[in-house]
Amino acid sequence: IRDLGEAKVFLGMEISRGENGEVKLSQQRYIEELLQRHQLADAKPRSTPLPPGSKVLPAGDGETELVDSTEYRTLIGELNYLAMSTRPDIAQAMSVLARFMGKPSKTHMGLALGVLRYLAGTKELGLRFGGAGELKLEGYSDSDWAGDPATRRSTTGYVFLLGGAAISWNSQLQRTVAASSVEAEYQATAAAVCEALWLRKLAGDFDLCSDTIGIWMDSQGALSLGNNPITSVRSKHIDVQHHLVRERVARGEVALSYCSTEDMVADILTKALGEIKFKKFRNGMGVMA
């Protein structure tokens, strides 16, 4: 087998190396192709994927449904590839818009094209992994309690960082309706712990780290439930499966710590944020030029 040298492109992801040893994964060429395909090459860029605070609803009375939803489904699929590869900053928007693949309306199509307009102004961004320093694996877990107006289910968001950039992230509706914000946060923490256990094993296989993985959260109530083996009438309604968090904390496989909401990077994966907070948490995930 010939040595073809250092990889430059892999599965559509462009790989570049900075002067200080940083490695950047981006998909600028792919984004430019999407903009050309959807006649948005010269579109006015947006500052965020979705309007701040937006609540996207199913097509209601008086709304015009798309006669042919093929174009919408195609666009969502194309954007989802970005959201899962190198652009976690659009993961929350895609999680929301993918819920309407069955009966999309013109409003949904407009929002999806708005995500593409956001990418038009940020096509050079990608995941930038630092070249120096300790490779520390840590995560952030958050939720948006009852944030879906149609079902009142909460949204789980978590992200794990290694070398200053995201290596795993998730934004999705929870399977059950949470009776309180603490329960919603605890469900999100349970999902993050499951991911942390898998990443811990994977990292050990690569000799990266096998120590306790820290998970930051901004709910004092959920933090207390995870760290203290107590049960009360206020917490019995939480499903037993979520108490795997306590077991893994007791084993020393994960460690839960508190951080303020202003520093909660995973907040970008739970709701549509304003421009200032969105850019702060986008940088926190290592999505940079």
Side-chain angles (χ1 to χ4, degrees), residues 33-87:
E33 291 174 357
L34 285 185
L35 293 171
Q36 291 287 348
R37 192 176 308 155
H38 295 279
Q39 292 81 47
L40 289 175
D42 299 321
K44 182 179 179 181
R46 292 185 50 145
S47 59
T48 58
L50 291 178
S54 59
K55 301 291 183 182
V56 187
L57 294 166
D61 296 336
E63 279 199 87
T64 305
E65 291 185 18
L66 296 177
V67 177
D68 184 4
S69 60
T70 303
E71 184 180 357
Y72 180 81
R73 294 173 181 173
T74 300
L75 177 57
I76 295 300
E78 293 167 338
L79 293 175
N80 260 330
Y81 179 59
L82 278 169
M84 293 187 297
S85 301
T86 62
R87 297 300 299 266

Side-chain angles (χ1 to χ4, degrees), residues 139 214-220 223 227 255-260 264:
I215 299 177
W216 297 94
M217 48 200 304
D218 62 357
S219 169
Q220 293 281 15
L223 182 64
N227 284 328
L256 307 181
S257 302
Y258 176 79
C259 75
S260 69
M264 175 46 66

Side-chain angles (χ1 to χ4, degrees), residues 129-287:
F129 298 88
E134 180 185 0
L135 287 176
K136 182 181 179 181
L137 180 59
E138 62 178 353
Y140 291 83
S141 169
D142 196 21
S143 74
D144 179 32
W145 180 43
D148 181 58
T151 64
R152 283 307 168 193
R153 285 191 286 169
S154 306
T155 298
T156 285
Y158 65 71
V159 58
F160 286 88
L161 310 175
L162 181 66
I167 60 169
S168 177
W169 56 88
N170 185 34
S171 176
Q172 68 178 77
L173 280 180
Q174 296 178 358
R175 295 183 179 181
T176 58
V177 177
S180 66
S181 60
V182 171
E183 182 180 350
E185 293 279 358
Y186 203 46
Q187 289 193 44
T189 304
V193 167
C194 289
E195 184 69 7
L197 295 176
W198 183 83
L199 289 173
R200 184 172 180 267
K201 184 178 185 305
L202 183 65
D205 292 340
F206 285 100
D207 293 327
L208 291 177
C209 72
S210 57
D211 298 329
T212 302
I213 296 179
I215 299 177
W216 297 94
M217 48 200 304
D218 62 357
S219 169
Q220 293 281 15
L223 182 64
S224 297
L225 281 174
N227 284 328
N228 302 309
I230 58 173
T231 302
S232 70
V233 292
R234 295 185 180 181
S235 63
K236 283 184 179 179
H237 63 281
I238 299 178
D239 197 282
V240 174
Q241 65 174 321
H242 301 140
H243 290 276
L244 70 92
V245 176
R246 292 179 180 169
E247 181 178 315
R248 300 302 179 168
V249 169
R251 290 184 182 181
E253 296 172 334
V254 297
L256 307 181
S257 302
Y258 176 79
C259 75
S260 69
T261 302
E262 295 301 314
D263 297 321
M264 175 46 66
V265 176
D267 199 25
I268 195 176
L269 298 168
T270 64
K271 62 178 76 71
L273 300 176
E275 182 178 355
I276 295 176
K277 290 188 72 173
F278 179 85
K279 289 183 176 180
K280 175 183 177 179
F281 296 146
R282 183 181 68 189
N283 291 338
M285 291 194 296
V287 181

